[in-house]
Amino acid sequence: MKILVTGGLGFIGSHTVVELQSKGFEVVIIDDLSNSSEKVIDGIVAITGIKPTFEKFDLKEKTKVQDFFKRHSNISGVIHFAASKAVGESVEKPLLYYENNIGTLVYMLQELSAMQSANFIFSSSCTVYGQADKMPITESAPVKEAESPYGNTKQMGEEIIRDTCKVVPALNAIALRYFNPMGAHPSTEIGELPIGVPQNLVPFITQTGAGIREQLSVFGGDYPTQDGTCIRDYIHVVDLAKAHVVALERLISGKNTENYEVFNVGTGTGSSVLEAIQSFERVSGKKLNYKIVDRRAGDITAAYADTTKANTVLGWKAESTLDEAMKSAWDWEQKIRK
Ligand code: UD1
């Protein structure tokens, strides 16, 4: 079965390509390389021994999207990762984010709506919950007003898919609400490649450990949590990648009960920033230079998933511990600095 993975050379996309190939799926990647590199294909080949088909183009080029589906009429499913994801940049350039994330989603859904049947997996985010009132967060928690244009594109993306599924019964879709992805493939052939100064915690930790950054700023030590730092649900990217394959198989085998479904994808365990630092120190044997500074604007106190729905309905569960995920992130950091 042939699966289209948009953004398939990115962080989560590349790990998902590996998991798809190891399950026997044939993968076609579309990626514009705006935040990734063609070298990622070599990493995928080193792990699976299979070279995915790769087409380089920007999904904003609608005629190219149309042409792609004419040439690949036998696509069994689409996993749509391609999107811009920097929260701060989205505040500066909202229209870029609406065009990149919403415009391309609409083009994709237009093509899929014209097919006899189509299966679609969408990258959503726990950001849609904002600061939820209750922990752990279930899928029925209310969607809060978005903090950023990036977050808004995830909320709007879900709504666009839901509205389309209502009128296109042959379209089956699942939105996966990711918590905080981290880590790298245990082979260290693929991993996260942040451009410039990392905005996310784990690459900042590993770069500090590697001496590329002098000090990690811990944003806020006065939150109402056990140690005063924010709590997140850090999930190993390989576990997250596997959730995509399981979700896709659910659609392909027609096991979905509605044609639009939503699942949280997290571990169910919340870890504080200080716990993440301690995990790094355990797995690396290094002391991390960090300092508690002011809160970062827009951060929420805590977010971790209730994963009951994914566990029972998808039959998927995150397997890796925080230490295992952190070790893979550290192994990867050391490998790319060699
Ligand atoms: C961020 C985005 C979120 C997006 C997700 C994708 C914001 C406000 N939210 O989530 O919308 O879906 O990335 O991965 O940007 N921290 C530090 N020092 C650092 C970096 C982070 O203390 O240098 C802390 C943060 O305050 C937070 C935690 O680490 O408590 C995780 O931060 P981060 O990795 O940026 O993820 P989120 O903010 O949860």
Side-chain angles (χ1 to χ4, degrees):
M1 279 189 180
K2 199 196 274 185
I3 308 300
L4 166 62
V5 182
T6 74
L9 298 181
F11 175 40
I12 307 169
S14 58
H15 288 81
T16 303
V17 169
V18 165
E19 296 306 319
L20 285 168
Q21 289 183 333
S22 66
K23 283 275 194 134
F25 289 102
E26 180 191 341
V27 176
V28 183
I29 293 171
I30 299 175
D31 199 304
D32 68 353
L33 302 179
S34 59
N35 193 20
S36 59
S37 154
E38 209 166 337
K39 286 196 192 117
V40 174
I41 294 173
D42 300 338
I44 293 169
V45 174
I47 299 168
T48 63
I50 304 161
K51 191 169 184 182
T53 305
F54 168 52
E55 297 200 15
K56 178 184 177 296
F57 66 89
D58 185 335
L59 294 170
K60 288 200 293 290
E61 294 185 68
K62 188 174 180 175
T63 51
K64 290 200 176 161
V65 177
Q66 292 169 328
D67 173 64
F68 176 88
F69 280 96
K70 278 199 195 96
R71 287 183 288 111
H72 298 271
S73 54
N74 57 344
I75 293 273
S76 302
V78 176
I79 307 184
H80 182 52
F81 292 102
S84 300
K85 61 172 187 180
V87 177
E89 184 188 45
S90 79
V91 177
E92 304 292 320
K93 300 173 186 167
L95 293 179
L96 179 76
Y97 273 65
Y98 291 119
E99 187 182 25
N100 281 354
N101 295 6
I102 300 295
T104 61
L105 173 66
V106 170
Y107 296 161
M108 196 60 68
L109 291 174
Q110 284 171 335
E111 292 306 310
L112 297 183
S113 299
M115 287 165 72
Q116 280 193 337
S117 79
N119 300 311
F120 186 69
I121 309 290
F122 177 64
S123 303
S124 189
S125 167
C126 66
T127 193
V128 302
Y129 299 118
Q131 180 57 73
D133 301 325
K134 270 194 257 152
M135 291 298 134
I137 305 172
T138 66
E139 288 82 354
S140 55
V143 168
K144 297 258 175 84
E145 196 181 330
E147 289 270 355
S148 68
Y150 160 78
N152 210 16
T153 65
K154 294 300 171 189
Q155 295 191 2
M156 292 167 66
E158 288 194 8
E159 286 169 17
I160 290 166
I161 299 164
R162 194 191 57 208
D163 290 346
T164 309
C165 283
K166 274 185 200 155
V167 294
V168 185
L171 174 62
N172 291 287
I174 289 180
L176 297 178
R177 291 176 175 164
Y178 312 156
F179 282 67
N180 288 57
M182 65 170 289
H185 195 270
S187 65
T188 67
E189 294 292 348
I190 54 172
E192 195 169 2
L193 285 168
I195 294 171
V197 181
Q199 305 301 308
N200 294 116
L201 178 66
V202 175
F204 208 107
I205 288 179
T206 57
Q207 288 197 9
T208 307
I212 297 151
R213 312 279 155 212
E214 200 186 320
Q215 187 175 56
L216 168 75
S217 295
V218 174
F219 298 135
D222 58 351
Y223 283 96
T225 61
Q226 79 273 13
D227 63 20
T229 65
C230 293
I231 297 199
R232 297 288 184 275
D233 184 339
Y234 296 96
I235 175 168
H236 196 309
V237 65
V238 173
D239 280 330
L240 176 56
K242 287 179 178 166
H244 291 79
V245 180
V246 172
L248 184 70
E249 286 172 337
R250 175 174 172 82
L251 297 184
I252 289 173
S253 60
K255 291 206 181 106
N256 51 320
T257 50
E258 288 160 71
N259 73 333
Y260 174 63
E261 297 175 320
V262 173
F263 293 92
N264 282 344
V265 190
T267 66
T269 302
S271 305
S272 71
V273 177
L274 293 183
E275 283 171 335
I277 293 171
Q278 287 154 11
S279 169
F280 173 80
E281 293 184 336
R282 266 195 305 277
V283 301
S284 68
K286 279 174 166 264
K287 275 265 156 242
L288 194 78
N289 184 23
Y290 72 89
K291 187 175 158 202
I292 296 178
V293 301
D294 287 348
R295 293 181 178 196
R296 177 172 74 178
D299 270 345
I300 52 161
T301 304
Y304 55 97
D306 183 321
T307 60
T308 310
K309 190 176 174 193
N311 299 161
T312 55
V313 178
L314 288 181
W316 166 93
K317 200 174 190 324
E319 285 164 8
S320 294
T321 62
L322 176 62
D323 280 7
E324 285 163 347
M326 192 63 82
K327 179 165 187 313
S328 73
W330 178 232
D331 289 347
W332 167 250
E333 183 72 59
Q334 288 172 289
K335 154 143 187 205
I336 56 176
R337 299 303 155 197
K338 268 184 197 151

